[in-house]
Amino acid sequence: MFRNNYDGDTVTFSPTGRLFQVEYALEAIKQGSVTVGLRSKNHAVLVALKRNADELSSYQKKIIKCDTHMGLSLAGLAPDARVLSNYLRQQCNYSQLVYNRKLSVEKAGHLLSDKAQRNTQSYGGRPYGVGLLIIGYDNSGAHLLEFQPSGNTLELYGTAIGARSQGSKTYLERVLDEFVDVQTSEELIKFGVEALRQSLKDETLTTDNLSIAIVGKDLPFTLYDGENVSSFL
Amino acid sequence: MFRNNYDGDTVTFSPTGRLFQVEYALEAIKQGSVTVGLRSKNHAVLVALKRNADELSSYQKKIIKCDTHMGLSLAGLAPDARVLSNYLRQQCNYSQLVYNRKLSVEKAGHLLSDKAQRNTQSYGGRPYGVGLLIIGYDNSGAHLLEFQPSGNTLELYGTAIGARSQGSKTYLERVLDEFVDVQTSEELIKFGVEALRQSLKDETLTTDNLSIAIVGKDLPFTLYDGENVSSFL
Amino acid sequence: MFRNNYDGDTVTFSPTGRLFQVEYALEAIKQGSVTVGLRSKNHAVLVALKRNADELSSYQKKIIKCDTHMGLSLAGLAPDARVLSNYLRQQCNYSQLVYNRKLSVEKAGHLLSDKAQRNTQSYGGRPYGVGLLIIGYDNSGAHLLEFQPSGNTLELYGTAIGARSQGSKTYLERVLDEFVDVQTSEELIKFGVEALRQSLKDETLTTDNLSIAIVGKDLPFTLYDGENVSSFL
Amino acid sequence: MFRNNYDGDTVTFSPTGRLFQVEYALEAIKQGSVTVGLRSKNHAVLVALKRNADELSSYQKKIIKCDTHMGLSLAGLAPDARVLSNYLRQQCNYSQLVYNRKLSVEKAGHLLSDKAQRNTQSYGGRPYGVGLLIIGYDNSGAHLLEFQPSGNTLELYGTAIGARSQGSKTYLERVLDEFVDVQTSEELIKFGVEALRQSLKDETLTTDNLSIAIVGKDLPFTLYDGENVSSFL
Amino acid sequence: MFRNNYDGDTVTFSPTGRLFQVEYALEAIKQGSVTVGLRSKNHAVLVALKRNADELSSYQKKIIKCDTHMGLSLAGLAPDARVLSNYLRQQCNYSQLVYNRKLSVEKAGHLLSDKAQRNTQSYGGRPYGVGLLIIGYDNSGAHLLEFQPSGNTLELYGTAIGARSQGSKTYLERVLDEFVDVQTSEELIKFGVEALRQSLKDETLTTDNLSIAIVGKDLPFTLYDGENVSSFL
Amino acid sequence: MFRNNYDGDTVTFSPTGRLFQVEYALEAIKQGSVTVGLRSKNHAVLVALKRNADELSSYQKKIIKCDTHMGLSLAGLAPDARVLSNYLRQQCNYSQLVYNRKLSVEKAGHLLSDKAQRNTQSYGGRPYGVGLLIIGYDNSGAHLLEFQPSGNTLELYGTAIGARSQGSKTYLERVLDEFVDVQTSEELIKFGVEALRQSLKDETLTTDNLSIAIVGKDLPFTLYDGENVSSFL
Amino acid sequence: MFRNNYDGDTVTFSPTGRLFQVEYALEAIKQGSVTVGLRSKNHAVLVALKRNADELSSYQKKIIKCDTHMGLSLAGLAPDARVLSNYLRQQCNYSQLVYNRKLSVEKAGHLLSDKAQRNTQSYGGRPYGVGLLIIGYDNSGAHLLEFQPSGNTLELYGTAIGARSQGSKTYLERVLDEFVDVQTSEELIKFGVEALRQSLKDETLTTDNLSIAIVGKDLPFTLYDGENVSSFL
């Protein structure tokens, strides 16, 4: 029995205080296709590379709308993302129906965080094997959140998750000062598409595999697929 | 203890972020006899190779009708397929009774996906050991879905699952442009039967072992067995 | 730890997609004494070899009546067969009382299949260690089903399960064309008894150890034991 | 880890289809003192060897009355026998109170069988470590049943369970033709006592260690202990 | 893994039909200080050696009164004895309140037996690590029972449990004929105290460490401690 | 696998009848700072050495008041002590409210004993890792109890638990005859403080680290900390 | 199996009485960025170093307000801290609503302690992987508590938790006499910021990464971030 015995379940700390199952869940994210998120003062943008298994299959959905002011993109296990996005959509509905107000992006992050944390502290389940980028626009402006399997949600100016996402992040860091101040959503999208390109290997961006979403001031969450993205290629 | 200890249950990630039990369930699918699905704009078709254990037994059902507009074929553990098809049939009934409308194919896929995902995140069960091809015709046209044990459901133009299904898929990829544009269901079935032939080894297609189903515009889900398939041989 | 660790419970797939515990349950069937089932258009017959532990014990029941139109024979763990036959008898009653109609043989197979499938997908139990041959006569004619621990139920013309049953099956395959067309139940029984003989080793069929059941058109399920089987020896 | 890993719980089949825990429970029976059961047409008899731990302790009860027409003797774990005999006594009461009829011996066997079977198919318990011989007289005459931990219950002419019981069984087989036709209960008891003697090692039967029970036509279940057995020594 | 794997829980039989955990619980009894029980026709007596951890602590209670006609002494884990004696006391109360009669000693043994048996057949607990000697006087006279962790309860003339109890038992066997016929409780106590002496090692019986209880005809359960035992030293 | 496999949970006896987890819990007590308890006829006293982690932290509470007539000191896991002292406080309240009388010290010990015993017989928990000294004054005078993780509670004249407590115990044994007869609480406290000194290593008793509690006839439970203990240094 | 088998879950004591999982949780705290707490008579202060994952992300919140008189800072797993701070906030609300008074700091510590203790004594969870410093001002003045995963809560004059926190603690010990007597909150904050500096490695304190909170007499809990901390740099 020479194996490391701290990595078999979510409720066991390693002697160095790590929860290995939570870290392994991060690896599931790295196997998903890359998605980029970024925001300026008034807008937030998601850009994602869609994949298809082969010629015969449609490209899989990478961006999911949650409400008129919020949506998310994913990298990792798609069925896990469905669970989380369905949950978020329900919470958006609930907030509208019960409180008559939009769910704030910060609150959305808290809700996802609490749901994910439970899976890291109770025996019998596993952490969610998916990362999410959540964009939204609420009273406090445009937001971009990164959700992690640990239950951590980070507020960000820009980031990328998924396969080879480091390329996108490096690019975004370099142009941070430029994109945070852009005025139009089109400009912001262009930065996002360029960032996505930094993580490509053999793929070329096409109207088939590129997915874009934008939300912002006076601009409800809008998803661009297919021919609608051609102007950004 | 030199064994890999990440593959014993569904709630443990491997250090590379994989859920091995979900992958092993895929192997159960590969042991089932092949089934092919494909769709044109107005029609969707399932073609399946039925097996019998020996001379004395009937050929086992490979295609199951769920509603007048939807049905599915299976490869893998038949009892698991029964659980899922029963569930889908109930959901079709429920949609008709409560909302007075047909369950959309997309929604059908979501329902199966959520049901299967739960089996990959809770201790004490196992993933479903079966793959399904679901065809249907609803407001948004003809559809073909592939359901996988992970909870993934893919929208496809054509595909095949089961033993030696790669042969069928290669054929479908080659003739993709031809079959997506056919006008009649008979033409589409012919492509399907030919695809199925590419995955046969020693078998010959007969009225005994061939099963065909079609659904489409103004064409309720119809299953052809026995003599009814003779015209397609 | 050089053992194969995929065969310890029912909820773990092996890397090749097999559920070993379900396969091991089949071995329990092979230790039971042989039973044969066969059907013509209008009749279905069960023939079974009864065993006694020693001179002092009665021969154990191998055929169980479920309703006036249905019954079954078993090979494997008798207490497990009791659970399943009791369940089937209740379902027959229920169908009669609530719907005022006989439970169809196909539906009987589905019910057993679903009950057995649950034992192959939930932690904490084991598959049923018994095989069943179910005969019945309903609106769609005479039927013979084979129930397996996996939850599979096969429709058959004839088959045999239990110790050395391959001999019976080989015989039945050879005379398939003959027995499917016989007109009388007596002829069908004779084929069945002869088939049973092919699986005997040192035993001789006697009025003590032979059990026969017949069901058919205008012929309720009837069980022959003891002197009543002497005419078929 | 060179151990056989199929024998640790009741819900795991060995590769040969055996449930080892059920077989091990049989060994617990072999450690109990011997008890013999036999029946003629109109009577059924239990004969048992009582043990005491040492000079200071009373002899332990081996035969338990369940109703005026039924009783049992045991070999194996006495506390397990208590659970089962209490259960049977309750069922006898229930039958009398609710249906106003005596529980049939066959039904008694079925009830014990079902109760024991559950312990062989659910995780978290163990099979009963006791064997029972049940005698009774009902509408269908005198009966002798043997209950086994697997849930099997056998109808018998005569048998013995417990330490060195093979001696008794061999004797009973030899005199089977004689005792099945005896007319009086006294004669039947004599055969039983003689059978018991065949399994003794160093013990001598005395009024202290011999226990006898009889039930039959017009003869309610009667237990003889102490001086009452002296006439059979 | 060369260890014996049948001794880790109460629900696993060893290949020889033993429940090791139940046997290990007996060892806990052997670590308790010795207690002796004996009875004549009209009286039953408990004699026990009390221990204290050191000079500073009181001697621990070894004899517990359950009702005016019943009490017990213990050897083994005191907290387990508390659970069982509390249970017995409640049952005595219940019998008095509901049926307006004293709980019979036999029934008391059955109740303890059933309670203990459950701990030997369900996963997740352990057998009680304590042995009890129960004395009582009811309609059928004076009784002495020995309760064991297996759920066995033996009716006895005399016995001893705890450390080095074999010495006491040997003595009691030798004088069995004498003490069963004594007329007064004082005489019976003297036999008990002498028996206890046979199991002492370095201890001397004093008014501090000797505890005596008596129950009998027209004599309610009475406990003697301290100076009250001086006349028996 | 050369490890001892009987020490991993509370529900497994070792072959020698020991519950290792209960014994290991005793070790947690030995890591706590020392506390001393002693009693005369009319008074009971607790003396405890408080610790602080470093210069910056307050000294941790070692003595807890439960009611006006009862309190306790602890050694071991403080959070476990909180659970037990809260429980005791609730029981004191309950006794006052429901029965209008003070909870007797003996009853308090029984309640703690039962609560702790459950943790030693059910799977899924652990024994309490704390020892308690409970003092109180009730109708039967002054009392000192020692509570142990096994559920044992001992009545004592004096004792000490925690790190190096043997020194205190040896002292108390030597002066037992003196302190049991003192008339005033001040004298008893002095014996207690002196006992505590016997277990010190490098520490010196100060108004910061010494905690004293007293209860007795006409003297409600009183806790002395800080300057209030200066007269006893 | 040469591994230490006492460190895999929270409900197993090691032979030395330690709960390793609780100790490993402390390691998770050491990986968090440092936070300092200190108090004078009338004020309590938290100073924390905020971290961001990279240039693109916001700095993560380290200090959380619970009520107008209470707040906390954290080091370790942020999602675990959310669970605990949400709980504390609810308890503060509850106290206000139900009792119309502020939750005392001492009671707050007790509540957290009890919640955390449960996670160290029940199978199926893990200890919280976070340390908290709680400051508050109530009737008994200014308070600083340190919460640990074991459920221990310490009252302190000053302390630091997180990466390299020893440097801060050493500084605080040296200046203890100075800061406990300061009159103004500004002075106290300065000591806190200086303490934090002692634990920095390559970082420099900036308006971005420094977070300060203060509470005190007539001073509700106030959090300073960004430009508001510039005067303390």
Side-chain angles (χ1 to χ4, degrees), chain C residues 51-59, chain D residues 156 158-159 166 169 173:
Chain C
R51 263 186 200 160
N52 59 349
D54 51 41
E55 293 286 297
L56 293 162
S57 62
S58 300
Y59 286 86
Chain D
L156 298 138
T159 195
Q166 189 53 50
K169 290 170 79 172
E173 284 180 30

Side-chain angles (χ1 to χ4, degrees), chain G residues 1 40 42 56 62 74 83-84 100 113-114 121 133 135 140 143 148 155 162-163 169 173 177 192 205 208 216 226-227:
Chain G
M1 185 88 78
S40 62
N42 289 323
L56 294 161
K62 288 280 288 183
L74 68 104
V83 171
L84 292 170
N100 196 27
S113 177
D114 289 350
Q121 199 172 22
L133 300 184
I135 59 169
S140 60
H143 296 279
Q148 295 175 341
E155 170 108 43
K169 289 171 80 172
E173 284 179 31
D177 294 344
L205 291 183
D208 281 336
E227 285 312 311

Side-chain angles (χ1 to χ4, degrees), chain D residues 58-131:
Chain D
S58 299
Y59 286 85
Q60 293 200 57
K61 231 162 124 175
K62 288 280 290 185
I63 302 182
I64 298 168
K65 180 180 172 179
C66 297
D67 200 345
T68 57
H69 73 302
M70 207 186 304
L72 56 84
S73 65
L74 67 103
L77 302 183
D80 285 18
R82 266 191 57 77
V83 172
L84 292 169
S85 62
N86 283 347
Y87 173 71
L88 200 50
R89 203 179 291 145
Q90 288 162 6
Q91 295 296 322
C92 284
N93 273 341
Y94 184 84
S95 179
Q96 191 68 59
L97 284 168
V98 177
Y99 304 115
N100 196 26
R101 67 167 174 254
K102 296 287 178 199
L103 187 73
S104 77
V105 180
E106 186 187 18
K107 179 73 181 163
H110 288 344
L111 288 167
L112 288 177
S113 176
D114 289 350
K115 188 171 176 64
Q117 194 272 350
R118 281 192 288 276
N119 277 31
T120 73
Q121 199 172 22
S122 300
Y123 183 77
R126 59 165 173 83
Y128 290 100
V130 72

Side-chain angles (χ1 to χ4, degrees), chain B residues 1-231:
Chain B
M1 186 89 77
F2 301 98
R3 66 181 176 96
N4 181 332
N5 67 313
Y6 307 109
D7 63 353
D9 61 66
T10 55
V11 299
T12 307
F13 281 107
S14 82
T16 54
R18 294 163 66 190
L19 296 169
F20 279 109
Q21 275 293 304
V22 175
E23 300 185 16
Y24 293 172
L26 293 173
E27 295 299 316
I29 301 175
K30 291 191 190 155
Q31 290 166 27
S33 66
V34 67
T35 177
V36 166
L38 67 172
R39 71 166 169 92
S40 62
K41 190 148 179 266
N42 289 324
H43 298 93
V45 161
L46 295 173
V47 183
L49 177 72
K50 292 187 290 185
R51 265 186 199 158
N52 58 350
D54 51 41
E55 292 285 299
L56 293 161
S57 62
S58 300
Y59 286 86
Q60 292 200 60
K61 230 161 124 175
K62 288 280 288 183
I63 301 182
I64 299 169
K65 180 180 172 180
C66 296
D67 201 346
T68 57
H69 72 302
M70 206 188 303
L72 56 83
S73 65
L74 68 104
L77 303 184
D80 285 17
R82 265 191 57 75
V83 172
L84 292 170
S85 62
N86 283 348
Y87 173 71
L88 200 49
R89 204 179 289 144
Q90 288 162 6
Q91 294 297 321
C92 284
N93 273 340
Y94 184 83
S95 179
Q96 191 68 60
L97 284 169
V98 176
Y99 304 114
N100 196 27
R101 67 167 176 254
K102 294 289 179 198
L103 187 72
S104 77
V105 179
E106 186 187 19
K107 179 74 181 162
H110 287 345
L111 288 167
L112 288 177
S113 176
D114 289 350
K115 188 171 176 63
Q117 195 272 351
R118 280 191 289 273
N119 275 32
T120 72
Q121 199 172 20
S122 300
Y123 184 77
R126 60 165 173 82
Y128 289 99
V130 71
L132 304 177
L133 300 183
I134 301 137
I135 59 169
Y137 188 88
D138 58 23
N139 292 339
S140 61
H143 295 281
L144 168 67
L145 296 185
E146 178 184 346
F147 162 86
Q148 296 175 342
S150 65
N152 267 334
T153 49
L154 311 174
E155 170 108 43
L156 298 138
Y157 298 105
T159 195
I161 56 175
R164 285 179 306 280
S165 54
Q166 189 53 52
S168 301
K169 288 172 80 172
T170 305
Y171 170 79
L172 287 173
E173 284 180 31
R174 208 172 61 225
V175 299
L176 174 59
D177 294 345
E178 297 176 46
F179 74 74
V180 295
D181 289 331
V182 300
Q183 293 301 316
T184 68
S185 61
E186 286 76 12
E187 287 174 280
L188 195 60
I189 289 175
K190 274 177 194 161
F191 276 106
V193 172
E194 186 53 36
L196 192 69
R197 275 210 181 89
Q198 307 302 316
S199 292
L200 300 183
K201 202 171 144 205
D202 305 320
E203 305 97 334
T204 313
L205 291 184
T206 68
T207 55
D208 280 337
N209 66 11
L210 180 61
S211 206
I212 295 171
I214 182 89
V215 71
K217 198 179 177 185
D218 304 325
L219 177 62
F221 185 88
T222 315
L223 178 58
Y224 300 100
D225 267 316
E227 285 312 311
N228 292 326
V229 305
S230 60
S231 59

